[in-house]
Amino acid sequence: MIGAGIMNMKNIKARIIFLVFLAALVLSLGSTIGAATEDDNSELMAEVFSATEANLGGIGSEKTLIITDIGSPAESYVFLDDFYSEFYDRDLLYTQNLLVVQNARNSPLWFAFFDKCSGNCTYIEVSYENESEISYQVTENIDFDKLSKTPKSKAAWGEKVNSKIFNGREFAILTICNGWATGKLDYELMQCLELHNHFCPGISSGFVLANWMEENYPLEENVSYTVFSCPNWCKEDVFVKRWDTTPGKGGIWVSSLTDDEKEALGGSPAGIFVVTDKNAGTMKAVVLGFNFDIVNAECGAKADDPAWISKYLADLWLMDKENWDTEGLVSVISVTDIDEATLNEMKQAGNNPYVVLGLLDSEENVNP
């Protein structure tokens, strides 16, 4: 019996040693595979930059803008160190030569290198799941002045947009690159484009509204904004980026309005900005309007212009801070002192915040 017990103990010990060895082997193989994958990818960013330099004739801090979604697509983060190594090796500057836009996890990893001297843009997508390589690349001239000059040039670019020459990112790349080339694209606006991932009058209007609020109700210590972005359009992403008014932290509430409700509020409501000032112990609901009719009338766009022209011209006009004081562009619909109970009522599902403030009658609301 004693001998049998000793034998059992030896068997158990042998099994434990075997399991430990097996676990170590699995971990070793995993590390080897991971290292091999990392090695396979190590040259990909160098290839991307080299291909671009061959197409554009060089990359430089005075002439190059790089737009990319690196870090957003699944596992594209493995290229971040290599990408920034190539980026800084060329004396490029993060705040002047790069825009890293947010994208969906299932989107492709892509890069757009723009040369403002020539107007040429090299667009590159890479594949890295099975084989690390450049899967698609094309170089096109996207100089806005050239593309919008004649009916023929407009039609030619329209055909390329329809064929998705940049895999559906033509408008985003065209507008951001040309806006940057003017030298007047505010870096703080560029930060908002990182989140929104394209440049449009909706995001530009949000930037104007945000600056209006900060000028008239300064965002000092112990002062905060709660935004009811109603009706909603692209402007919301500016407030999230600039003020950290994320939905998860209760900083922004987004909903729509009917045409009748918009008309009852003056025709161009933009939203309600609740300013909480803990220093003064006050809470004010500032209701603003934004008039796109003024933008469309002043920006130089024509009625028959394609959207990529009219929207970019509107962006250019809104980029010019001298236009922000144009009468009627931003309007004050009302300013009301409120309390915490009123703010909480505005947040409740099914409540129209304008009705809570007494700016709309309840019968003007459409029951969802």
Side-chain angles (χ1 to χ4, degrees):
M1 292 294 293
I2 295 175
I6 292 173
M7 288 298 294
N8 285 336
M9 289 296 293
K10 288 182 177 179
N11 288 337
I12 292 172
K13 186 175 181 181
R15 288 176 183 176
I16 292 173
I17 293 173
F18 173 76
L19 290 173
V20 171
F21 174 77
L22 181 61
L25 179 62
V26 170
L27 289 173
S28 176
L29 287 173
S31 300
T32 302
I33 293 171
T37 303
E38 186 175 344
D39 289 340
D40 289 343
N41 292 333
S42 62
E43 299 299 322
L44 186 55
M45 292 300 99
E47 293 175 13
V48 168
F49 276 79
S50 295
T52 298
E53 289 172 320
N55 290 323
L56 299 182
I59 294 174
S61 61
E62 298 299 320
K63 66 174 187 174
T64 304
L65 174 67
I66 304 173
I67 310 173
T68 177
D69 67 346
I70 190 169
S72 286
E75 298 182 11
S76 64
Y77 62 84
V78 301
F79 300 108
L80 282 168
D81 290 336
D82 290 336
F83 172 80
Y84 282 107
S85 177
E86 298 292 334
F87 180 86
Y88 287 118
D89 277 350
R90 289 161 175 80
D91 296 323
L92 301 176
L93 300 175
Y94 186 95
T95 56
Q96 296 182 21
N97 304 107
L98 181 63
L99 188 68
V100 181
V101 297
Q102 178 174 288
N103 218 332
R105 193 171 189 272
N106 63 348
S107 64
L109 172 56
W110 61 271
F111 304 85
F113 293 78
F114 175 68
D115 185 311
K116 75 174 183 181
C117 297
S118 65
N120 290 330
C121 178
T122 293
Y123 176 83
I124 293 176
E125 287 188 10
V126 302
S127 172
Y128 56 91
E129 291 184 355
N130 298 316
E131 183 178 356
S132 299
E133 61 181 2
I134 294 176
S135 56
Y136 176 72
Q137 66 173 303
V138 65
T139 298
E140 289 288 340
N141 190 283
I142 59 170
D143 184 297
F144 178 82
D145 292 337
K146 293 179 181 178
L147 299 184
S148 62
K149 190 172 184 179
T150 66
K152 184 178 180 180
S153 64
K154 294 176 186 178
W157 179 247
E159 291 178 3
K160 292 180 179 179
V161 170
N162 292 334
S163 68
K164 297 186 178 180
I165 195 71
F166 294 155
N167 200 11
R169 298 173 181 85
E170 299 77 23
F171 177 75
I173 292 171
L174 173 78
T175 52
I176 292 173
C177 289
N178 280 277
W180 174 83
T182 65
K184 299 178 181 178
L185 185 55
D186 192 300
Y187 177 69
E188 291 186 336
L189 177 54
M190 287 184 67
Q191 288 183 306
C192 299
L193 300 183
E194 291 177 354
L195 174 62
H196 197 62
N197 78 29
H198 69 271
F199 193 17
C200 65
I203 206 79
S204 298
S205 63
F207 194 65
V208 174
L209 287 163
N211 278 276
W212 189 98
M213 281 298 302
E214 291 175 20
E215 181 178 345
N216 289 274
Y217 296 90
L219 196 60
E220 299 171 345
E221 187 175 359
N222 295 320
V223 176
S224 62
Y225 302 144
T226 304
V227 183
F228 293 84
S229 207
C230 177
N232 59 299
W233 64 77
C234 301
K235 65 183 185 301
E236 289 75 43
D237 288 350
V238 173
F239 310 143
V240 170
K241 180 67 176 179
R242 195 173 177 93
W243 299 331
D244 193 32
T245 53
T246 65
K249 293 190 283 287
I252 190 165
W253 305 77
V254 179
S255 57
S256 60
L257 290 174
T258 66
D259 290 340
D260 289 341
E261 289 169 342
K262 292 176 186 176
E263 192 63 30
L265 290 166
S268 58
I272 305 168
F273 301 80
V274 176
V275 184
T276 302
D277 187 341
K278 293 183 179 180
N279 301 312
T282 60
M283 187 179 291
K284 295 181 181 293
V286 182
V287 183
L288 299 181
F290 189 89
N291 194 335
F292 277 105
D293 290 341
I294 292 175
V295 180
N296 296 332
E298 297 292 334
C299 72
K302 300 175 183 177
D304 59 348
D305 279 338
W308 60 271
I309 291 180
S310 59
K311 289 183 178 181
Y312 177 67
L313 291 176
D315 278 326
L316 277 182
W317 192 84
L318 288 168
M319 277 171 54
D320 188 345
K321 295 181 180 180
E322 293 185 0
N323 294 327
W324 292 1
D325 292 328
T326 301
E327 185 176 356
L329 180 65
V330 178
S331 59
V332 179
I333 296 174
S334 73
V335 178
T336 308
D337 289 319
I338 64 172
D339 55 21
E340 191 72 31
T342 302
L343 177 61
N344 289 332
E345 186 180 356
M346 293 167 67
K347 295 178 180 179
Q348 294 303 309
N351 286 350
N352 185 319
Y354 293 101
V355 172
V356 175
L357 292 179
L359 297 175
L360 283 178
D361 294 330
S362 57
E363 59 265 21
E364 289 174 319
N365 259 342
V366 176
N367 191 327

